[in-house]
Amino acid sequence: MAKPLPVSPLARPLPDLATIAGVRLSAVAAGIRYQGRTDLMLAEFVPGTVAAGVYTKNACPGAPVLWCRTALTPPYARALLVNAGNANVFTGRAGIQACADCADATARLLDCPPQDVFLASTGVIGEKLPQDRIIGALPAAKAGLDENGWADAARAIMTTDTFPKAARRDVTIAGTPVRIQGIAKGSGMVAPDMATMLAYVATDAKLPQNILQSLLASGCSQSFNAITVDSDTSTSDMLMLFATGLADNPEIDDINDPALAEFTLALNDLLLELALMVVRDGEGATKLVRIGVTGAESNLSAHRIALCIANSPLVKTAIAGEDANWGRVVMAVGKSGEPADRDRLSVAIGGTWIAREGGVVENYDEAPVVAHMKGQEIEIVVDLGLGDGEARVWTCDLTHGYIDINGSYRS
């Protein structure tokens, strides 16, 4: 961008970040696209670290996504290298070669196999990745590795983000203290179909890869897969979870083991916190919107209806204008293609029911709804009256700021 973007009014400050045993990070300026800021993040993991990941279902994925899918086959990680400013997407064989070159160079520095190096790129699509700049910056990145490098790493992977995103949880597994900590980036091209943009979480817990993967996929469904900014699924989306095992908790071989319950809840909560930060930083956003759907024929149907409401430009612009135009919500339900009955439909905004069973509530008082619409956090609830299916998703409003950012993204 030509000038720094103003920080989102919905921004959250970085929490008190700690260290994860077996993880060191650094951030350096490689000059990939941006000037005067860091744009390359390197994370080093202790040997034996287990990795899990979920990746975009976009049919035109970036070369780093293809690399990571293959690298995950032997489920170990020694390094993670992420650049901002260039997505390495739609770059053909050159993009694949760039990944191989970067992985090889990182592997030589850290004395590990290239397949133990995970890669990610975010930024402009269709431009060749300047891997020579990345490789040239690797010695400085290695020299700067520090167990306290989390905040710098979070800033280095930003593109149109206006604030760095991180979260932390401290819990136990069978009485053994363990820690979970993660960073994320994302603010536009966000309508995940696996995860969103880039998000990386690490823990010192000792867990087998199959359980780690199941935990990540399950947590993603209720967090990163329940948010949308603009209905666009990125070519670069990925969410990864790394477990160093240095906490040395008792062995866990069953995802339903009661000893894992506290960890599972904490991981799910951390993933949701990171996901909501992405929505809070939605390009041009001024309001965080929670949409709940109940009474659908199934949970899947409820989820689809909720996303249809969340992705509607008419709903989102009404929220931006602080207009409680519930008719647009009804429209979005009807166009979703999911089972719905006009005469059973109910709509509430900010806890006030506006419509019940297909009609406006008698003596409906709009005053509390108007007041609610002026706040920064908006809640919309729809009950279909058809069954027990329910879902919740989050989005943001759609303002002229979104056009300003995306209309000049490459300039």
Side-chain angles (χ1 to χ4, degrees):
M1 301 297 295
K3 59 182 179 180
L5 297 169
V7 176
S8 167
L10 307 174
R12 289 291 183 266
L14 280 173
D16 291 330
L17 297 175
T19 62
I20 298 291
V23 182
R24 298 194 300 161
L25 308 96
S26 66
V28 296
I32 297 163
R33 184 176 187 86
Y34 306 109
Q35 300 299 318
R37 56 155 283 188
T38 58
D39 57 1
L40 184 69
M41 180 272 277
L42 175 65
E44 179 192 35
F45 306 104
V46 67
T49 294
V50 176
V54 285
Y55 306 100
T56 184
K57 293 181 181 177
N58 190 300
C60 298
V65 171
L66 300 178
W67 176 274
C68 287
R69 284 174 177 162
T70 301
L72 200 62
T73 303
Y76 296 103
R78 284 296 316 283
L80 168 68
L81 184 67
V82 185
N83 74 267
N86 183 306
N88 196 10
V89 172
F90 209 69
T91 48
R93 292 183 179 180
I96 298 296
Q97 187 61 52
C99 286
D101 292 347
C102 290
D104 287 344
T106 304
R108 287 194 298 271
L109 275 179
L110 300 182
D111 191 23
C112 69
Q115 62 265 29
D116 288 357
V117 177
F118 288 84
L119 305 170
S121 299
T122 179
V124 174
I125 291 172
E127 294 183 2
K128 185 178 181 297
L129 183 72
Q131 66 260 41
D132 291 345
R133 297 180 190 176
I134 294 174
I135 294 170
L138 283 177
K142 180 186 177 183
L145 287 169
D146 190 312
E147 62 182 4
N148 292 303
W150 286 87
D152 289 340
R155 293 185 179 94
I157 62 176
M158 293 166 53
T159 53
T160 57
D161 304 60
T162 68
F163 65 93
K165 303 162 182 67
R168 167 191 166 189
R169 298 290 186 276
D170 292 278
V171 293
T172 63
I173 295 179
T176 302
V178 298
R179 178 170 293 151
I180 316 169
Q181 190 159 274
I183 60 175
K185 67 81 53 186
S187 56
M189 203 184 289
V190 175
D193 194 5
M194 46 53 65
T196 186
M197 302 292 87
L198 305 180
Y200 302 104
V201 181
T203 178
D204 54 1
K206 181 172 62 177
L207 295 169
Q209 202 273 343
N210 63 323
I211 288 181
L212 202 68
Q213 186 68 44
S214 294
L215 288 172
L216 186 64
S218 176
C220 175
S221 68
Q222 299 301 316
S223 56
F224 286 105
N225 269 353
I227 64 170
T228 178
V229 168
D230 48 21
S231 82
D232 290 329
T233 299
S234 169
T235 56
S236 305
D237 286 355
M238 70 170 64
L239 165 63
M240 295 200 68
L241 175 59
F242 303 92
T244 67
L246 295 186
D248 202 30
N249 52 274
E251 295 284 348
I252 301 289
D253 57 14
D254 183 352
I255 196 170
N256 296 313
D257 189 329
L260 198 56
E262 183 183 356
F263 180 90
T264 301
L265 288 174
L267 175 63
N268 291 346
D269 194 50
L270 178 140
L271 293 176
L272 180 57
E273 182 178 353
L274 288 174
L276 291 187
M277 285 185 197
V278 172
V279 180
R280 287 180 175 277
D281 206 11
E283 291 168 340
T286 65
K287 298 180 187 294
L288 175 69
V289 186
R290 181 185 186 275
I291 298 170
V293 173
T294 60
E297 286 198 350
S298 67
N299 290 343
L300 179 59
S301 180
H303 182 75
R304 288 172 173 167
I305 291 169
L307 280 177
C308 199
I309 298 169
N311 283 325
S312 166
L314 286 177
V315 172
K316 290 160 71 73
T317 50
I319 293 169
E322 300 179 347
D323 178 12
N325 193 339
W326 59 274
R328 294 183 175 181
V329 176
V330 173
M331 171 278 300
V333 173
K335 78 167 187 176
S336 69
E338 294 298 313
D341 184 336
R342 178 198 62 197
D343 296 330
R344 297 186 184 185
L345 190 64
S346 301
V347 179
I349 297 178
T352 299
W353 288 99
I354 301 172
R356 282 281 198 186
E357 298 179 345
V360 178
V361 172
E362 188 174 355
N363 299 320
Y364 156 61
D365 181 8
E366 194 176 48
V369 179
V370 170
H372 179 73
M373 294 298 293
K374 294 185 180 300
Q376 288 189 334
E377 298 191 11
I378 308 300
E379 181 181 40
I380 297 172
V381 174
V382 172
D383 185 84
L384 283 86
L386 299 176
D388 298 324
E390 59 183 15
R392 59 178 183 174
V393 304
W394 289 264
T395 189
C396 56
D397 55 342
L398 179 59
T399 71
H400 202 283
Y402 183 88
I403 300 172
D404 293 339
I405 292 168
N406 285 286
S408 58
Y409 181 65
R410 295 195 304 159
S411 61

